[in-house]
Amino acid sequence: MNDAATESLANSLTTGDRRALARAITLVESTRPVDRQQADALLERVMPKTGGARRLGLSGSPGAGKSTFIEALGSHLLDRDRKLAVLAVDPSSKISGGSILGDKTRMESLSRHPRAFIRPSPAGTSLGGVARRTREALLLCEAAGFDTIIVETVGVGQSETAVSAMTDMFLLLLAPAGGDELQGIKRGIVELADMILVNKADGDMATEATHAANEYRAALRLLRPATANWTVPVSTCSSIEGTGISDVWENIEKFFRVLGDENAIALRRAAQAIDWMWTEVDAMLGAALRADPDIAAKIPDLESQVRSGDLPATVAARTLVSGFIRK
Amino acid sequence: MNDAATESLANSLTTGDRRALARAITLVESTRPVDRQQADALLERVMPKTGGARRLGLSGSPGAGKSTFIEALGSHLLDRDRKLAVLAVDPSSKISGGSILGDKTRMESLSRHPRAFIRPSPAGTSLGGVARRTREALLLCEAAGFDTIIVETVGVGQSETAVSAMTDMFLLLLAPAGGDELQGIKRGIVELADMILVNKADGDMATEATHAANEYRAALRLLRPATANWTVPVSTCSSIEGTGISDVWENIEKFFRVLGDENAIALRRAAQAIDWMWTEVDAMLGAALRADPDIAAKIPDLESQVRSGDLPATVAARTLVSGFIRK
């Protein structure tokens, strides 16, 4: 792809062409150096068009019903003429995407809607790599005019911190059961939440859902909120019956109103971008070190000595780094 | 310091000479390249003598009484002929050390005890730097024969993850008050705890302490334990009256028995050492990049463009890294 092609792709993308968006995301996901160069050029070009979306992170326990929740919330806001993009950040999670992945039961109506865009997680890379590419996909979605972006993660791994670091607000979706059944959630995830939703508050489960919400509300009182000046709301909803969904959206709007008024979102995004830059620097330097064949050959032996306690970690690290920098 | 001096220091250190230990820690804390080289040589030499201690992390809310608690727990285990070293990891925290820092009211009896060693946090460096040096100080304390090491942190910052990554077991000390007063604790810290202690369970506060412990116990049921196969005990104690302290120590012994039986401690330490090595690699590479004057000159402008959203973080990072590696 040459400069003209990049410009043409950028133009199609910023007019909201969905196929151009899909191609652009494929480009940033590519690991080929030539593609990477084009991806950088494309991103630079579209940067002025980014920043216009509400960036929402969503995580949940397995079985909490994330896909049906996204469908319900998505329908609600598509009815309000918003444009929704859904991205996934877990290397293990193949979300959604009805037609994309052939799983017709998941997000079927969203995936067919002209103002919705669903993109599964890029395959076969490390979490760090996936998170870096998902940040870029998010920028591309903004450049394409999507005003609401949900970054989904499965809620059992390390990816929630990464999602929290690229979004404005973090939603946690739980199944209506307390105690043991909730222990599938990693502890740190509850800590990140700006909003907690107990889903499946319908039929036989309605009472249990209310009870679980009360338990979480009590537990949260003992913890400092993830976001200053924001008290984490805990509520119930039913994605199937559609109850509580408009309250969810109202709470999201309230969050952006409260934090937007004091410019907190802009400051958070600026800090996130700087952190991201240095994370990229670390990742690129580390990758360059590991890609050096002389250095890479030393790693297994050094790791084995460090693991067994025979060699101090600092000394092993210095051996690798000084070998790399001297070249 | 030459090789003979390093050998002599290592020998004095491993016979338990406290002044040698203090000098060795000063050496690993030094940022002078020549000292660093000697520190590496010293660490390599004493590695076979390390690994023998129980490594305990301790954090707590401001006002929870960490110093008096460490005094109480320390006295208890010194009475059992154990050897205790106390290290601090917060750049902001100047712990302890009665005579060391002139604050005679803090850990006074411990600081005078022949089998106790108290070392404040190294000054004037970043958290990352302090954490890296504290890990090494911990190894030196083990080489000097200390069989119990408490790494203290103030509980309001980012340092708890670092402490958790260098210790076997993480203790959280809280004041006997629920709700708002506990919100001084950062959320993520509760998540790291292997044991929660409500201190000051004496006099007027005894009932409140019991109540706070019950609240925490209930909240913890909703979270997955920090350590597999270990249910986080929540108990009350009074450092001043000495009540509950022997239970604390029994719980610590139980933790090591349970996890030692399945070799979990050894596996955790091996994984911690590997993580530490790569953290050091990242830090050293990042420091080398920032120390390059041509690269450093570019940083302010790139950061400003990334902060304002004019330049993608990835592109800024690549500018820095390719400029550095090309040289």
Side-chain angles (χ1 to χ4, degrees):
Chain A
M1 205 190 285
N2 55 29
D3 282 0
T6 307
E7 186 177 346
S8 156
L9 180 56
N11 289 340
S12 306
L13 175 69
T14 50
T15 58
D17 178 335
R18 302 156 54 89
R19 286 196 310 171
L21 174 58
R23 271 203 296 145
I25 295 180
T26 302
L27 188 65
V28 299
E29 285 172 0
S30 167
T31 53
R32 291 173 59 209
V34 57
D35 287 343
R36 191 59 246 178
Q37 217 175 326
Q38 293 291 344
D40 282 357
L42 177 68
L43 284 164
E44 271 200 83
R45 199 179 278 272
V46 303
M47 275 310 274
K49 306 278 189 183
T50 65
R54 295 185 176 175
R55 303 171 179 174
L56 307 175
L58 176 71
S59 186
S61 50
K66 281 195 297 301
S67 296
T68 48
F69 172 77
I70 292 175
E71 279 249 321
L73 180 64
S75 301
H76 182 81
L77 53 92
L78 290 169
D79 286 350
R80 276 147 195 78
D81 286 336
R82 298 192 71 98
K83 296 182 68 183
L84 170 71
V86 182
L87 306 170
V89 82
D90 278 281
S92 55
S93 145
K94 293 288 169 235
I95 60 159
S96 69
S99 55
I100 297 173
L101 294 173
D103 178 354
K104 300 270 190 223
T105 62
R106 304 189 70 203
M107 299 195 208
E108 197 179 355
S109 69
L110 273 193
S111 63
R112 283 190 314 241
H113 195 288
R115 286 198 313 281
F117 179 84
I118 298 180
R119 180 83 179 193
S121 186
T125 23
S126 69
L127 168 61
V130 170
R132 287 154 68 199
R133 300 297 80 83
T134 304
R135 284 175 188 271
E136 294 176 341
L138 188 153
L139 294 174
L140 294 172
C141 289
E142 287 183 338
F146 289 90
D147 58 30
T148 310
I149 298 170
I150 296 177
V151 183
E152 186 201 299
T153 174
V154 291
V156 293
Q158 292 299 309
S159 49
E160 288 72 24
T161 309
V163 171
S164 162
M166 73 178 79
T167 54
D168 305 319
M169 182 179 190
F170 195 83
L171 280 59
L172 180 59
L173 196 73
L174 299 168
D180 287 351
E181 295 185 49
L182 280 170
Q183 305 207 350
I185 294 281
K186 264 189 80 100
R187 320 179 97 204
I189 299 175
V190 177
E191 309 290 294
L192 296 172
D194 291 307
M195 186 188 302
I196 292 185
L197 298 163
V198 181
N199 194 16
K200 303 190 178 177
D202 42 48
D204 295 348
M205 302 296 256
T207 312
E208 270 191 72
T210 304
H211 182 66
N214 287 339
E215 281 195 340
Y216 270 93
R217 215 171 278 123
L220 279 176
R221 271 199 296 272
L222 301 177
L223 301 169
R224 198 162 69 169
T227 299
N229 302 319
W230 177 254
T231 305
V232 179
V234 180
S235 58
T236 59
C237 64
S238 164
S239 301
I240 291 170
E241 298 184 350
T243 48
I245 299 297
S246 63
D247 292 343
V248 171
W249 184 242
E250 270 171 36
N251 267 325
I252 292 172
E253 298 224 301
K254 185 177 167 200
F255 180 88
F256 281 89
R257 212 160 47 233
V258 170
L259 273 81
D261 281 353
E262 32 178 309
N263 211 22
I265 300 280
L267 287 172
R268 174 178 292 196
R269 287 181 176 187
Q272 286 175 338
I274 293 292
D275 285 350
W276 178 21
M277 180 183 96
W278 288 109
T279 302
E280 289 277 348
V281 166
D282 284 348
M284 289 173 186
L285 286 172
L289 179 139
R290 284 179 179 80
D292 181 311
D294 296 343
I295 304 298
K298 291 183 191 165
I299 294 175
D301 181 47
L302 288 171
E303 280 197 336
S304 151
Q305 289 185 64
V306 167
R307 200 176 281 117
S308 64
D310 293 326
L311 191 66
T314 326
V315 175
R318 200 175 319 278
T319 305
L320 291 172
V321 171
S322 61
F324 176 66
I325 289 184
R326 202 176 304 128
K327 294 177 86 161
Chain B
M1 206 189 285
N2 55 29
D3 282 1
T6 307
E7 187 178 346
S8 157
L9 180 56
N11 289 341
S12 305
L13 175 69
T14 50
T15 59
D17 178 335
R18 302 156 55 89
R19 286 198 308 172
L21 174 57
R23 271 203 296 145
I25 294 179
T26 302
L27 187 66
V28 300
E29 286 173 1
S30 167
T31 52
R32 292 173 57 208
V34 57
D35 286 345
R36 190 60 246 178
Q37 217 175 328
Q38 292 291 343
D40 282 359
L42 177 68
L43 284 164
E44 270 201 84
R45 200 179 277 272
V46 303
M47 276 309 275
K49 306 279 189 183
T50 65
R54 293 182 177 177
R55 303 170 180 175
L56 307 175
L58 176 71
S59 187
S61 50
K66 282 194 297 300
S67 297
T68 48
F69 173 76
I70 293 175
E71 278 250 321
L73 180 64
S75 302
H76 182 81
L77 53 92
L78 289 168
D79 287 348
R80 275 148 195 79
D81 287 337
R82 299 192 70 100
K83 296 182 69 183
L84 171 70
V86 182
L87 306 170
V89 84
D90 278 282
S92 55
S93 144
K94 293 288 169 235
I95 61 161
S96 70
S99 54
I100 297 173
L101 293 175
D103 178 353
K104 299 270 190 222
T105 62
R106 302 190 71 202
M107 299 195 209
E108 198 180 353
S109 69
L110 272 193
S111 64
R112 284 190 314 241
H113 195 287
R115 287 199 312 281
F117 179 85
I118 298 180
R119 180 84 178 193
S121 185
T125 23
S126 69
L127 168 62
V130 170
R132 287 152 71 198
R133 301 295 81 82
T134 304
R135 284 174 188 271
E136 293 176 341
L138 187 154
L139 294 174
L140 294 171
C141 290
E142 287 183 338
F146 289 91
D147 57 31
T148 311
I149 297 169
I150 296 177
V151 183
E152 186 200 297
T153 175
V154 291
V156 293
Q158 292 300 309
S159 49
E160 288 70 26
T161 309
V163 171
S164 163
M166 72 177 80
T167 55
D168 305 319
M169 181 178 190
F170 195 83
L171 280 59
L172 180 60
L173 196 72
L174 298 169
D180 288 350
E181 296 186 47
L182 280 170
Q183 305 206 351
I185 294 279
K186 263 187 81 100
R187 321 179 97 204
I189 299 176
V190 177
E191 310 290 293
L192 296 171
D194 291 308
M195 186 186 303
I196 291 184
L197 298 163
V198 181
N199 194 16
K200 304 190 177 175
D202 42 48
D204 294 349
M205 302 295 256
T207 313
E208 270 191 71
T210 304
H211 182 65
N214 287 339
E215 280 195 339
Y216 270 92
R217 214 171 280 122
L220 279 176
R221 270 199 297 273
L222 301 177
L223 302 168
R224 197 163 69 170
T227 299
N229 301 319
W230 177 254
T231 305
V232 179
V234 180
S235 58
T236 60
C237 64
S238 164
S239 301
I240 291 170
E241 297 185 350
T243 48
I245 300 296
S246 63
D247 291 346
V248 171
W249 184 242
E250 269 170 36
N251 268 326
I252 292 172
E253 299 224 301
K254 185 177 167 199
F255 179 88
F256 281 88
R257 214 160 46 233
V258 170
L259 273 80
D261 281 355
E262 32 179 309
N263 210 22
I265 301 281
L267 287 172
R268 174 178 291 197
R269 287 182 175 187
Q272 285 174 339
I274 294 293
D275 284 349
W276 178 21
M277 179 184 96
W278 287 109
T279 302
E280 289 278 347
V281 165
D282 285 348
M284 288 173 187
L285 286 172
L289 179 138
R290 285 179 178 80
D292 182 311
D294 296 343
I295 304 298
K298 292 183 190 164
I299 294 175
D301 180 49
L302 288 171
E303 280 196 337
S304 150
Q305 289 186 64
V306 167
R307 200 176 280 116
S308 64
D310 293 325
L311 190 66
T314 326
V315 175
R318 200 176 319 279
T319 304
L320 292 173
V321 171
S322 61
F324 177 66
I325 289 184
R326 202 175 304 127
K327 293 178 89 163

